[in-house]
Amino acid sequence: MTTGPKLRLDSSLAPGVLAVALFVIMATIVLNTGFSPEMEGFEGVDSITAEIGYAMFDLEALQSTEGSIPDTEAFLAAFLLIAVALDAALDASLVLAKREEEGEPVAALASRGTGSDGAGSAASGVAGSDRSAATDGGHEGSTVDADRADDPGGESR
Amino acid sequence: MTYDLIAFALFAFVTLASALGVVLLRDPWHSALMLGVTLLSVAVYYVMLAAEFVAMMQILVYVGGVLILITFAVMLTQREETDEVDEVAQT
Amino acid sequence: MTVPIEYYVLLSMALFCIGLFGILTRRNALMFLMSVELMLNAANINLIAFAFYHGNLTGQVFALFTMALAAAEVAVGLGIILVLYRNFRDVDVTVPTTMRW
């Protein structure tokens, strides 16, 4: 079912007025600020990307001292902080993706469907306990349920 | 000389119109598409401002990463809200 | 090269105000994330424009850092939104009121 794009243009008068008022205030401030009409630009710089890299990794010996850009500050500590923050974001999203199933945590990266799929056709009754031990994080009931080939992963995924 | 200004005005129109589309469209999926248009047109300003590396990173990180994540979330959470939440969200 | 910096600043402020309007009006949590992306892009346009205006590369490096932080923020935010949808079957931000007080 495809629907055309529809605008919603109702019941947002006060935030609209507030946003426009904020824009008018900031525009007034900017238009009353005297910027010099010409931009300095990056004249005489060989490679802006290389200069960004030198500044980001604190390679002072390679930074160009002549040319139009002055010495850029060193950003190695900020770079490492951002790297640690990205690691923390990865861990946080993994923790958020983990769900609890009847008091037992099921990790997001656990593989449940393939293990029971391969063993499902081999035997039916005896290998049940083995399969529940082999699957990651699955418990007994869901493994027996996953014995049928049409329901490999459980319904809550 | 004036070509820069014309190009800037054109892409400013594209950016602002698609940003208004992001906040005004009713379907979150359409909003995600409009967000992609906005992010791509923002990359054009970076090229005009001699920041080619930042423009490439904008396209790679935002359009290639953030927009794909948002698309995943829109598709994962859109099962039953297309009928119900629309009425709720209008109020 | 000859576009004055006022135009860039006006454009970024318009983008910021559109994002603010989106945050104030929408109740879908996904729309919150998209509006926050708009506002972060407005800040990035300002950083790059002033980097070019002053002929200094610090603004460009800072814009790269802002992009990395925006990616991290979107990853965590989407995780939170998916948990919200799993617990409440909805992404409306006014539904989860159990953590109030």
Side-chain angles (χ1 to χ4, degrees):
Chain A
M1 182 187 74
T2 56
T3 58
K6 281 183 291 189
L7 293 176
R8 36 178 299 283
L9 294 172
D10 44 357
S11 76
S12 54
L13 183 61
V17 168
L18 195 143
V20 170
L22 181 63
F23 176 70
V24 166
I25 289 173
M26 291 199 295
T28 318
I29 293 171
V30 167
L31 291 180
N32 286 328
T33 307
F35 291 111
S36 73
E38 75 274 4
M39 317 257 265
E40 290 198 14
F42 299 109
E43 301 295 330
V45 180
D46 288 339
S47 169
I48 296 177
T49 309
E51 293 293 329
I52 287 176
Y54 300 151
M56 197 181 281
F57 297 123
D58 203 357
L59 302 172
E60 285 185 21
L62 295 174
Q63 279 183 348
S64 72
T65 51
E66 68 270 13
S68 72
I69 60 169
D71 284 327
T72 316
E73 291 91 347
F75 281 103
L76 187 60
F79 185 82
L80 292 178
L81 280 177
I82 298 289
V84 171
L86 280 173
D87 276 348
L90 175 63
D91 293 342
S93 51
L94 276 182
V95 166
L96 283 172
K98 186 165 59 181
R99 69 181 192 277
E100 300 246 342
E101 209 170 70
E102 294 155 9
E104 186 176 4
V106 178
L109 293 180
S111 65
R112 255 175 53 180
T114 60
S116 64
D117 231 5
S121 62
S124 59
V126 191
S129 56
D130 293 344
R131 255 176 284 138
S132 71
T135 49
D136 270 344
H139 50 87
E140 184 72 33
S142 74
T143 313
V144 174
D145 275 342
D147 213 351
R148 307 181 193 94
D150 55 352
D151 188 13
E155 82 288 347
S156 61
R157 188 167 293 227
Chain B
M1 181 172 212
T2 61
Y3 291 135
D4 302 344
L5 211 56
I6 292 172
F8 177 82
L10 198 64
F11 280 102
F13 174 73
V14 169
T15 302
L16 293 181
S18 58
L20 278 176
V22 170
V23 298
L24 286 182
L25 281 177
R26 187 167 296 177
D27 196 355
W29 170 233
H30 294 149
S31 294
L33 290 179
M34 282 293 131
L35 184 67
V37 175
T38 309
L39 297 175
L40 282 175
S41 64
V42 164
V44 174
Y45 306 129
Y46 296 164
V47 175
M48 288 170 68
L49 288 169
E52 294 91 1
F53 182 70
V54 185
M56 284 305 115
M57 280 302 116
Q58 164 93 6
I59 292 176
L60 282 179
V61 172
Y62 275 105
V63 184
V66 170
L67 192 62
I68 295 300
L69 276 179
I70 286 179
T71 305
F72 264 103
V74 167
M75 287 181 170
L76 282 175
T77 59
Q78 220 182 9
R79 191 164 6 146
E80 60 204 357
E81 69 180 319
T82 52
D83 298 329
E84 301 173 32
V85 178
D86 269 353
E87 282 96 20
V88 177
Q90 287 173 24
T91 61
Chain C
M1 298 292 172
T2 59
V3 181
I5 192 170
E6 289 95 346
Y7 294 169
Y8 285 106
V9 180
L10 282 176
L11 171 82
S12 87
M13 287 187 323
L15 207 57
F16 184 86
C17 288
I18 288 172
L20 184 69
F21 174 74
I23 282 187
L24 287 179
T25 54
R26 301 306 291 266
R27 290 167 61 185
N28 195 340
L30 284 165
M31 301 308 300
F32 268 41
L33 273 185
M34 294 190 209
S35 301
V36 167
E37 290 304 309
L38 286 183
M39 294 162 82
L40 282 169
N41 268 292
N44 270 345
I45 288 177
N46 243 341
L47 282 172
I48 303 281
F50 276 103
F52 190 74
Y53 176 71
H54 289 295
N56 198 339
L57 271 181
T58 307
Q60 292 197 13
V61 182
F62 245 92
L64 286 173
F65 287 157
T66 312
M67 278 182 199
L69 281 185
E73 170 252 338
V74 163
V76 178
L78 285 181
I80 291 175
I81 285 177
L82 288 183
V83 170
L84 200 69
Y85 180 70
R86 199 165 63 216
N87 288 338
F88 294 97
R89 314 303 293 168
D90 204 350
V91 286
D92 196 337
V93 290
T94 58
V95 170
T97 55
T98 53
M99 282 180 70
R100 187 180 290 173
W101 305 115

